[in-house]
Each structure stands twice: as C-alpha cells, then as structure tokens.
Amino acid sequence: MSTATAGLTTTAPPREPGRFSRLRDAPKLVRWLAFATIVGNAVVVLTGVAVRLSGSGLGCPTWPKCTDDSYTNTPEYGIHGYIEFGNRLLTFVLSAIVGAAIIVVWLQYKRRRSLVWLSLAQFGGIVAQAVVGGITVLTGLNPWTVSAHFLVSMALIYAGYVFWHRTGEGDRPRDWRVPVPLRWLARAIVLAAGATIVIGTVVTGSGPHSGDGAAPRTGFDPALVSQLHADAVFLLIGLTVGGVFAFRSVPVVRNAVLTLLVVELAQGLIGYVQYFTHLPVLLVALHVLGAAVLWVFAIRVLFTVRERPTLAT
C-alpha cells in the first residue's frame, strides 16, 4: 500500500512475519533437529548398554506393556524396572525430535524432497527399533535379537548423519573430490567399520553381560570371536592408515581419515584393556559408546569424498 504526499511516494513497511512464518523459513532449525537425531540415537545406545550391564534387560518383562497389567514400571521390579522403562521412554523423546524434524522440513517454503524422505526414514527406523526391541524382550533377550536391536540403532545413526549432512548442501548432482579408486577406498573403510561393529555384537552376545542372569548366549567361544573382532579392527586400521597417505592431496578427506584413525586407536585401546581386565562394566559402556562414535566418523569419511553445491550457490 502506498500514499502520495507533496509529490513523494512512500511505501508502508512490511509486516513483521509471525512465528509460523519464521518457522517456514528455518534451515538452521532443520539442521539442528537433524543433528539432534544423531545425538538422540547415540543416547539410546548408551542407555541400552546401561540396561544390559545392570542386568535390567527384563526389568519390564513384556512388551508393549512394561508388565502384564501396566504400561509403566512397578515397584515390585525395583531398580531394574526403572532402568528398563527409562530406556523405553527415551524412544518417545527421540520420536518427538524426529516428529518435529518431519513437521519443520515439510513446512519449509523451499521444501526439499530429499530432506522429507530422510526425516521419514528416521521415523521408520524408530518403528523398526521398537518392534525389534519388543521381540528381544519377548524372546528373553536372545543374543541375536539383542544384536539386531543395536544394529538398528547404528542404521539410524547412519540415516541421521545423512540427514544432517544433506541439510548443509544443495540438491544438485554431486561432484567427486577424488578419483574412482579412492572412492572405493572410502567405501571399504566404512564397510570395515561396519563389519567390526557387527562382529563386536557377536562378541557381546558370547560374553558375560547378557542383560539378565537367565538370558541365553550364542554358544561361541568368547576368545575365538574376540580374536575375529580384533582381526577386523586390524583391517580397519590398516585401511585407514592407507587412506591417510592416499588422500594426502585432498586435505578435507585426509583430515577426516586422520580423525577416524585417532578414534580407532582410542577405541582399540579401550577394547584391549577391557578384555584383559575381564570386562569391567564402565569400560564396556565406554567401548559401546565408542563404537557409535567410530561409526559416525567413518560415515564422515564417506561423505567428504564428494560435495554438492550449497543452497546459496
């Protein structure tokens, strides 16, 4: 709207956008919510290992209820019920974060289909995690379902990292920073990291920390599967050291590989100390958390070998 006064034309100042309007143009909020999904999944992993190490895996002996008569924990199950139910509650917290991410991504004026699908993938993963968790409880903490439950969390961390990374780049075709052989080296590093984590779950399923005194074990020799796990670690470290030299001319990739190497060495040190000190619970918890951290930095290597123009270009 304009008015004319003494031959001059002035324009009324635009209205200040309301809160809802600001929400529809909030790429930084989308990025923070995407990052929160990574952190949330890592926290779920940490509380999950607390459940197992405290012997609280059957603190809620059924699913989806905590007991046959209650959706919440009851005093008769003591501290174990509180720990297990607390872990279940975190799934609702993570669901709220993911739900907020889906809504905000959908509301954006410049809605990006890739981010919509990635946010929905997080929701699908949470549903899968809840189902696998329920099967784990109903099967009396079968070590294979316990492993599957953990690996679903690793898949969610991967999806969360992709979601977060894509919020910081555009949707144009990707450009590669390195030639084809080095792309396969980056993929090999991630595959080796994934194999190390998968074998690590078998080690856990063969060891003493079952989550409940009556829970079954895999039946494998713990020393044998631990050696297999160590072999996978050596392969991962070897590939990573090779990557330090192979990517030396691409600083952003080299730095990502160097950081991953530091994480691997720290994780390896914790692993050896816990093995030779007969698996104290604190070191086991640090080792499981370290696996999630290692996984994040391995994924980072994969995403530094390519780039996409940012939304601003």
Side-chain angles (χ1 to χ4, degrees):
M1 179 183 298
S2 63
T3 60
T5 304
L8 298 177
T9 300
T10 60
T11 302
R15 294 181 179 180
E16 288 292 327
R19 293 181 180 179
F20 185 74
S21 297
R22 287 195 293 268
L23 189 63
R24 300 194 68 180
D25 186 21
K28 289 184 178 180
L29 177 59
V30 173
R31 188 164 176 80
W32 274 109
L33 287 170
F35 183 75
T37 65
I38 304 174
V39 176
N41 280 298
V43 172
V44 168
V45 168
L46 186 58
T47 58
V49 75
V51 169
R52 180 164 55 83
L53 294 175
S54 64
S56 304
L58 295 178
C60 287
T62 189
W63 185 88
K65 292 183 176 181
C66 185
T67 68
D68 290 333
D69 302 318
S70 174
Y71 281 97
T72 62
N73 57 299
T74 56
E76 64 186 289
Y77 287 95
I79 187 63
H80 296 307
Y82 287 101
I83 294 174
E84 166 63 10
F85 185 69
N87 179 246
R88 293 189 183 190
L89 281 179
L90 279 176
T91 300
F92 292 99
V93 175
L94 182 58
S95 298
I97 294 172
V98 171
I102 293 172
I103 292 171
V104 175
V105 167
W106 184 262
L107 287 177
Q108 296 304 290
Y109 286 121
K110 297 180 180 179
R111 185 185 303 155
R112 298 173 60 189
R113 182 178 299 180
S114 59
L115 298 186
V116 172
W117 282 112
L118 287 168
S119 62
L120 290 173
Q122 283 286 310
F123 177 76
I126 291 173
V127 172
Q129 189 182 56
V131 171
V132 175
I135 294 172
T136 299
V137 172
L138 296 176
T139 57
L141 304 184
N142 181 286
W144 299 110
T145 58
V146 172
S147 295
H149 194 41
F150 176 79
L151 293 176
V152 170
S153 289
M154 294 298 102
L156 277 168
I157 288 174
Y158 181 92
Y161 187 93
V162 177
F163 182 24
W164 172 79
H165 189 86
R166 294 288 284 116
T167 62
E169 59 182 14
D171 288 318
R172 297 179 184 177
R174 57 192 167 191
D175 297 324
W176 295 101
R177 291 188 172 110
V178 299
V180 173
L182 295 186
R183 297 175 209 168
W184 281 107
L185 175 58
R187 292 166 186 152
I189 289 172
V190 175
L191 287 173
T196 300
I197 291 171
V198 170
I199 298 171
T201 66
V202 179
V203 175
T204 299
S206 307
H209 299 298
S210 61
D212 185 82
R217 303 281 74 202
T218 64
F220 294 140
D221 180 359
L224 180 63
V225 291
S226 294
Q227 182 59 57
L228 182 61
H229 180 59
D231 293 340
V233 171
F234 289 138
L235 174 62
L236 174 59
I237 292 176
L239 288 170
T240 306
V241 170
V244 172
F245 293 98
F247 296 115
R248 64 184 181 279
S249 61
V250 190
V252 64
V253 185
R254 180 202 59 202
N255 292 340
V257 175
L258 274 172
T259 305
L260 174 62
L261 180 61
V262 172
V263 174
E264 289 169 359
L265 294 175
Q267 177 73 341
L269 177 62
I270 294 172
Y272 272 105
V273 172
Q274 72 164 4
Y275 180 79
F276 288 109
T277 54
H278 307 292
L279 305 177
V281 293
L282 178 60
L283 288 182
V284 173
L286 287 176
H287 197 54
V288 174
L289 179 62
V293 173
L294 185 150
W295 183 229
V296 169
F297 281 97
I299 300 167
R300 179 186 176 214
V301 170
L302 186 63
F303 279 83
T304 57
V305 299
R306 96 290 191 280
E307 61 180 341
R308 294 177 190 262
T310 61
L311 293 175
T313 61

